[in-house]
Amino acid sequence: MAFKAQVLYDFTAEPGNVELTVKEGETITVTNANIGGGWIEAQNSRGETGLVPEDYIEYSNQFSGTAGTAAPPANVGNAAVPDLSFFDEFAPTSTSAPKQVDAGGLSPQLDSTDTPVPPILLAPEEASNGNDPWSVWNSDPSRGSNNNWAPSAEGNQTGRNAPEPWSSGTHSHPQAYQGPDIYPYLIDHTGAEDDEWDDEWDEMKSTSGYSEPGEGGAIQRGGTHASSMKISLNKFPGFSKSGPELFLLCKQAAKGKEKISIYLGEVGPVWFYPEAQLDCIVADPKKGSKMYGLKSYIEYQITPNTTNRPVNHRYKHFDWLYERLLDKFGSAIPIPSLPDKQVTGRFEEEFIKMRMERLQGWMTRMCRHPVVSSSEVFQLFLSYKDEKDWKMGKRKAEKDETVGVMIFTTIEAEAPDLDLAEVEQKCEQFSRFTKAMDDGVKEILTVGNEHWKRCTGPLPKEYQRIGKAFQNLSSVFTSSGYQGEATLTDAMTAAGKTYEEIAQIVAEQPKKDLHFLMETNNEYKGLLGCFPDTIGVHKAAIDKVKEADKLVNTNKITAQDKVTMAKRASTMSYALQAEMNHFHSNRIYDYNRVMQQYLEEQVKFYETIAAKLRHAHSQFTTM
């Protein structure tokens, strides 16, 4: 049965495929909705027939029950949780923006009756907080100051062979991308989930909430965890049955063999770093296809230094890994989003190189994190043996119970319990610092983006105009016929050509120095955007512990429960401090490295220009 549909996004057919090019707003006739794999067969008004991504169209209202763009909301799953309804009477009346926490698929073993956890989805504007992850902190004037308690540069010397957080070879790979003409650094990158695992389509999914096309057809990954489900800690009754109280009051830890150690180093609580530093290289992108060429994708080769055996992954495999890491560690460790998705031009060489470099940066950052890199799911991604091993590991990871706030049940801190006031103080310090740094990073990106445009646009044109003016005046001098001015006119012509050469040098310079500075700040912008959610989990836990006295007085919990809550809040604080110390040590190394590289390239740039000007100067005769 054929029926009408509206095109939501432009789609350009790949050459050699039986696809149909369609434009946004166009009305098409769906002739076969059962192609599968996220495709439908359609006919346009000109009678042309071909395949179109199902997510790119919206069926007419009368058919919305048959097929549509909206996917059913992800379910949280029925977790056995304690009856925490007694928190209802303490629910805040404030209407401030909610702090978000990833619910994941929580199913801890708690000695209570089974209570289904309702799947709560926020509206796009609530989930994004106006596209500003820090808006939840901006409303509190007490967080306005920048109280930086960052450790000194030697803070990474913890006494247990904590490795250097970054290797200098990250950007030196021979296939490293050198940057487009103008960087779209100021886009907020929003992710969109792919369809089911076996669907080989690497495009946007229109049901990802508030995704929208960015520059060059990129699908932006806006907000911190755009594709994961969000629940409000403060906005639905009972403080949410999946909030931090799920960990604070659980009777039995969730099953799992993984234990995360924290100990006191020279700079305070730190993660336990492995003896050998994990690293990997993302390289050799190759175009693959399936379904007789109907579906194409780019596959990357990832080679870890632990095995030196390459494994192959597509972008959607990276996206799966990101979702697993976000579900598992997002409450304790900021997991930055992946690079942009792409609607058009997915197979253009420049885009493939750019994506490969940014995937390399993302993987390197994950490899350098002692907790993430040693996790079972990350090790699976880097070193699975064969397809069977991959699928078994994937299923196991998706059934992991220690996700969301239950990750704190695996943390063992070799340190005394903290006082609640100290826990709250540390949380506020981190909040102020990360917010201030986020503002500073965005300023560098704004200024750098403007400078990049000037260097590749008006500035070279100014040098070219100067050069042309010198050469034109030289031509006028030549036309005089005077015998004694050949030396002058030749020197003036050479000077004009020198300025044209300088124009070219200026236009190419951002790729040599500004590129890496912008890439580093772009990474930190994404990383810092995750902190409001992570800190929000800790602040919500502090609020619950503060209510413990009231709950004891009303016989809602026992005095021992109150002690347990405080102890577990202390564990959460140690995790936050360990993460911030890891962040600070990386920050000090990264910015020291990238600033050195930037200034070295700047010195070379000005020395090259000075040498050319000196040569032009030497052509003129001293009178």
Side-chain angles (χ1 to χ4, degrees):
M1 171 174 139
F3 44 85
K4 300 293 184 181
Q6 188 87 3
V7 178
L8 298 176
Y9 312 101
D10 292 346
F11 172 72
T12 304
E14 292 290 340
N17 289 344
V18 289
E19 299 171 352
L20 177 67
T21 298
V22 292
K23 299 295 183 182
E24 180 182 353
E26 181 181 354
T27 299
I28 59 175
T29 301
V30 177
T31 55
N32 186 352
N34 299 316
I35 296 296
W39 295 84
I40 54 97
E41 183 184 69
Q43 184 180 67
N44 61 20
S45 58
R46 299 180 297 279
E48 300 169 338
T49 303
L51 299 183
V52 177
E54 186 175 15
D55 287 343
Y56 278 49
I57 67 169
E58 182 176 39
Y59 295 104
S60 300
N61 291 336
Q62 62 265 38
F63 299 105
S64 60
T66 304
T69 60
N75 291 324
V76 180
N78 292 340
V81 300
D83 183 6
L84 303 176
S85 60
F86 55 77
F87 277 107
D88 291 353
E89 59 188 281
F90 301 101
T93 58
S94 169
T95 59
S96 60
K99 306 174 184 67
Q100 304 298 331
V101 61
D102 187 26
L106 299 179
S107 54
Q109 302 301 314
L110 308 174
D111 54 353
S112 179
T113 57
D114 288 352
T115 305
V117 180
I120 303 296
L121 287 176
L122 293 181
E125 61 272 14
E126 290 180 297
S128 65
N129 284 334
N131 290 327
D132 181 7
W134 295 99
S135 59
V136 74
W137 311 115
N138 293 341
S139 61
D140 187 348
S142 67
R143 300 185 181 97
S145 61
N146 180 3
N147 185 2
N148 182 352
W149 73 290
S152 59
E154 61 272 11
N156 205 26
Q157 304 304 318
T158 58
R160 291 205 185 184
N161 299 323
E164 189 177 71
W166 294 96
S167 67
S168 59
T170 301
H171 290 296
S172 62
H173 193 274
Q175 298 187 44
Y177 174 63
Q178 296 304 312
D181 291 336
I182 296 179
Y183 260 70
Y185 278 110
L186 304 183
I187 298 175
D188 287 329
H189 306 305
T190 305
E193 255 185 298
D194 283 320
D195 288 339
E196 61 184 347
W197 176 260
D198 292 328
D199 177 17
E200 301 293 341
W201 180 243
D202 187 14
E203 298 288 6
M204 71 173 288
K205 189 168 185 177
S206 61
T207 58
S208 59
Y210 42 92
S211 296
E212 57 186 36
E215 292 185 23
I219 299 304
Q220 302 167 341
R221 284 185 174 270
T224 307
H225 308 144
S227 57
S228 64
M229 194 186 89
K230 296 295 181 181
I231 59 175
S232 168
L233 289 178
N234 294 341
K235 274 202 167 182
F236 71 91
F239 275 78
S240 147
K241 299 300 187 288
S242 301
E245 65 272 16
L246 185 62
F247 163 65
L248 295 175
L249 287 172
C250 69
K251 303 299 182 183
Q252 179 181 347
K255 296 178 181 178
K257 297 180 180 179
E258 294 179 285
K259 293 298 179 184
I260 302 173
S261 298
I262 296 176
Y263 65 96
L264 292 179
E266 295 177 6
V267 296
V270 292
W271 301 116
F272 184 85
Y273 285 82
E275 294 291 335
Q277 176 63 67
L278 179 64
D279 202 356
C280 70
I281 293 177
V282 181
D284 301 325
K286 291 182 175 62
K287 185 175 181 180
S289 63
K290 64 179 300 185
M291 291 183 65
Y292 304 100
L294 289 178
K295 297 180 181 181
S296 300
Y297 55 86
I298 298 297
E299 193 171 60
Y300 301 89
Q301 188 179 83
I302 299 94
T303 307
N305 62 348
T306 50
T307 64
N308 289 321
R309 181 176 59 84
V311 294
N312 296 320
H313 284 296
R314 292 179 40 230
Y315 179 87
K316 73 180 319 173
H317 300 177
F318 285 93
D319 205 31
W320 175 88
L321 175 64
Y322 164 72
E323 292 295 338
R324 299 283 71 75
L325 295 178
L326 183 63
D327 287 344
K328 186 170 181 64
F329 299 114
S331 295
I333 298 170
I335 305 295
S337 295
L338 287 169
D340 307 347
K341 291 202 173 186
Q342 189 84 349
V343 177
T344 58
R346 293 176 294 131
F347 303 117
E348 294 177 0
E349 182 178 358
E350 186 172 337
F351 171 75
I352 292 172
K353 288 182 178 180
M354 179 182 70
R355 169 176 278 185
M356 183 176 68
E357 185 196 17
R358 291 183 172 176
L359 287 174
Q360 173 72 74
W362 189 85
M363 286 296 294
T364 298
R365 194 163 293 280
M366 296 297 98
C367 283
R368 294 300 181 266
H369 198 289
V371 176
V372 173
S373 63
S374 60
S375 65
E376 195 170 349
V377 63
F378 195 78
Q379 289 292 327
L380 167 74
F381 187 82
L382 286 179
S383 56
Y384 69 91
K385 297 180 178 62
D386 50 36
E387 190 67 19
K388 180 180 178 181
D389 185 37
W390 170 252
K391 289 183 177 180
M392 289 179 61
K394 175 181 172 289
R395 293 191 188 99
K396 181 179 179 182
E398 291 170 348
K399 294 179 181 179
D400 190 358
E401 293 182 344
T402 53
V403 296
V405 294
M406 297 310 291
I407 189 64
F408 294 108
T409 64
T410 67
I411 293 176
E412 296 178 343
E414 301 176 6
D417 295 340
L418 295 173
D419 179 73
L420 184 62
E422 186 176 356
V423 172
E424 187 170 21
Q425 179 189 14
K426 293 295 186 184
C427 199
E428 290 295 336
Q429 285 178 329
F430 297 143
S431 177
R432 288 193 296 269
F433 171 76
T434 49
K435 172 63 175 73
M437 182 176 173
D438 187 62
D439 292 339
V441 165
K442 287 177 180 177
E443 182 182 7
I444 287 182
L445 289 173
T446 301
V447 172
N449 191 59
E450 292 172 353
H451 182 63
W452 188 296
K453 290 180 179 180
R454 276 180 49 77
C455 288
T456 55
L459 201 54
K461 291 179 182 178
E462 289 295 322
Y463 283 108
Q464 289 173 350
R465 289 176 61 189
I466 294 172
K468 288 294 184 184
F470 284 152
Q471 293 180 72
N472 290 338
L473 185 58
S474 176
S475 298
V476 172
F477 286 175
T478 303
S479 66
S480 70
Y482 187 70
Q483 296 294 324
E485 65 178 357
T487 302
L488 172 63
T489 55
D490 289 347
M492 287 191 68
T493 300
K497 291 181 179 179
T498 296
Y499 273 89
E500 289 183 335
E501 292 172 0
I502 291 174
Q504 185 65 26
I505 294 172
V506 170
E508 294 176 352
Q509 185 60 23
K511 294 181 181 180
K512 298 178 180 179
D513 53 21
L514 194 56
H515 168 72
F516 298 111
L517 180 64
M518 297 291 277
E519 281 294 314
T520 298
N521 279 278
N522 204 40
E523 279 190 42
Y524 271 89
K525 176 175 174 285
L527 188 60
L528 288 161
C530 301
F531 271 103
D533 282 357
T534 302
I535 295 176
V537 174
H538 294 74
K539 292 181 72 67
I542 293 170
D543 292 340
K544 305 304 177 288
V545 177
K546 284 181 177 180
E547 294 158 6
D549 287 331
K550 296 179 182 179
L551 298 174
V552 171
N553 293 335
T554 56
N555 296 320
K556 300 295 185 180
I557 63 173
T558 67
Q560 183 57 44
D561 288 335
K562 173 188 171 182
V563 173
T564 300
M565 290 176 68
K567 182 179 180 64
R568 290 177 178 175
S570 176
T571 298
M572 293 177 69
S573 179
Y574 277 123
L576 180 60
Q577 292 180 63
E579 182 55 31
M580 287 303 298
N581 281 326
H582 173 77
F583 174 82
H584 286 315
S585 64
N586 279 326
R587 172 181 59 84
I588 291 169
Y589 181 88
D590 287 345
Y591 278 91
N592 185 67
R593 179 198 62 177
V594 77
M595 286 304 299
Q596 280 184 327
Q597 184 175 7
Y598 176 74
L599 293 174
E600 285 171 1
E601 291 296 331
Q602 283 276 289
V603 169
K604 293 178 184 177
F605 168 66
Y606 286 109
E607 285 178 344
T608 301
I609 292 177
K612 288 186 173 296
L613 292 174
R614 276 194 294 267
H615 179 72
H617 174 269
S618 67
Q619 303 299 309
F620 291 88
T621 304
T622 303
M623 303 298 291

